[in-house]
Amino acid sequence: MSFVSEFNSLPVQSLVQKSLSAGLAAGRESLAKPKPSLADFANLISPAAAELLEPLGRRSHTLTQQRFGKVIRLFAPLYISNECINNCQYCGFSRDNPILRVTLSLDEVRQEAQALKGQGFRNILLVAGEHPKFVSVNYLKDCVAALHADWPSISLEVGPMETEDYRPLVGAGADGLVVYQETYDRKVYADMHTGGPKRNFDWRLETPERAYAAGFRRLGISPLYGLADWRYEAICVAAHADYLLRNCWKAQLTISLPRLRPCAGEFQPLTHMSDRDLAQLVCALRIMFPDVGLVLSTRESAKLRDGLIPLGVTMMSAGSHTEPGGYTGAGRGKLHQTVRGRIVELGASEWASAPENATAATGQFEIADGRSSREVADLIRRLGYEPVWKDWDAALTA
Ligand code: SF4
């Protein structure tokens, strides 16, 4: 049985109601349990349990140190293409957005990766929009193969594929697959995804299972907070994580915590999740899943990221760019604009003003923490943690 069947029978709305009406006593009781259930998780993210942020933080901090040590694993996203055939209302890369697009050549991908390696990264996330022509399985396989020798850990965040299409990517050296469900609310999902194959909610929801069947041994999941109610999303992602831990048990699982950021198209969040809500969720996820990696990207401000490190975050991106060619200016000479999916070639004057070593391709969203990777690593050290540029195993056996 896939997660879709389990998801369809989940009493999500009644768990949300339970969370909204839970009292302080219910929160305390769930916090004291050695193995919280999904109903306990609903109590831990309740408005009442916001009053328990200190004890939640203490338990989350202790569990994180016991399971992960005092280390923060660093990774960098490498955007290889911003072409996309989907229309996702909240994303700058949406097909209908008239933005500057490019797909990097293999040499350009190597050039970008080399710059990240120079910063110290050994764990890379290749990101691309969904476009079978520009971002084909063969192109992705070649990108992974080009980097494999230099990168101990290569993850992908690309359009969902069939298991058979994932296999060559694993064979080429990719070990991780990240796929955000965006929202677990079917109605909101249908409203947000107005064109392209991404409209298929169930197909996306089953993606981690297909990736696991193909051999990926790091799986990353998440909603995008700001679309549906955050407690609804949190309960669903917790149920999803629980399913994957039971059924894809050979894989390391990570849960990301992305909140919507400004982007091309100027989409406004539909729901609000405060910084305090986010901190409460980090603690609740850690208490529910002591061994699951929690990922915080540069979508969040430096101040908030620094504050969440001791609470339970285990993995962070740093010095990120969300546009292809963002680290070295690679691909700058072949930008094109698309208007409703059609390519419109640019005159030289439209991109010639781009600064040296920069690209004018449009980013997916605005970064909130603009510190360099070195600055983030220094801060991590100042907080008493070790920044780790490789993977957990390497760190723990060093
Ligand atoms: S979220 Fe992904 S699929 Fe949707 S428009 Fe952006 S890049 Fe394309």
Side-chain angles (χ1 to χ4, degrees), residues 84 86 88 90-91 93-94 129 182 198 364:
C84 196
N86 290 307
C88 308
Y90 48 82
C91 177
F93 293 170
S94 270
E182 320 292 13
K198 194 166 172 181
Q364 191 177 27

Side-chain angles (χ1 to χ4, degrees), residues 195-270:
K198 194 166 172 181
R199 286 181 59 74
N200 190 336
F201 180 98
D202 288 354
W203 163 255
R204 192 168 186 87
L205 197 56
E206 287 175 336
T207 303
E209 293 157 65
R210 293 195 305 277
Y212 181 73
F216 281 104
R217 287 300 174 259
R218 296 175 194 275
L219 300 174
I221 59 169
S222 173
L224 179 57
Y225 294 98
L227 299 179
D229 171 71
W230 77 264
R231 289 188 177 85
Y232 177 95
E233 304 285 25
I235 288 166
C236 293
V237 80
H240 198 177
D242 181 57
Y243 173 90
L244 293 174
L245 289 171
R246 281 184 278 117
N247 292 279
C248 304
W249 52 273
K250 285 186 196 161
Q252 289 179 9
L253 185 65
T254 55
I255 301 176
S256 302
L257 297 133
R259 289 191 295 183
L260 267 168
R261 291 286 304 149
C263 66
E266 299 184 354
F267 180 82
Q268 296 298 316
L270 305 177

Side-chain angles (χ1 to χ4, degrees), residues 62-83:
T62 304
L63 282 171
T64 309
Q65 291 215 357
Q66 282 171 356
R67 306 302 176 108
F68 293 87
K70 286 196 88 173
V71 297
I72 296 289
R73 186 177 174 218
L74 292 170
F75 74 99
L78 197 173
Y79 280 71
I80 55 178
S81 173
N82 59 356
E83 309 282 356

Side-chain angles (χ1 to χ4, degrees), residues 94-115:
S94 270
R95 182 184 70 196
D96 284 354
N97 282 342
I99 63 166
L100 296 177
R101 302 188 191 254
V102 71
T103 299
L104 301 184
S105 69
L106 288 185
D107 279 345
E108 290 162 347
V109 171
R110 280 192 202 96
Q111 179 184 326
E112 288 275 285
Q114 196 58 33

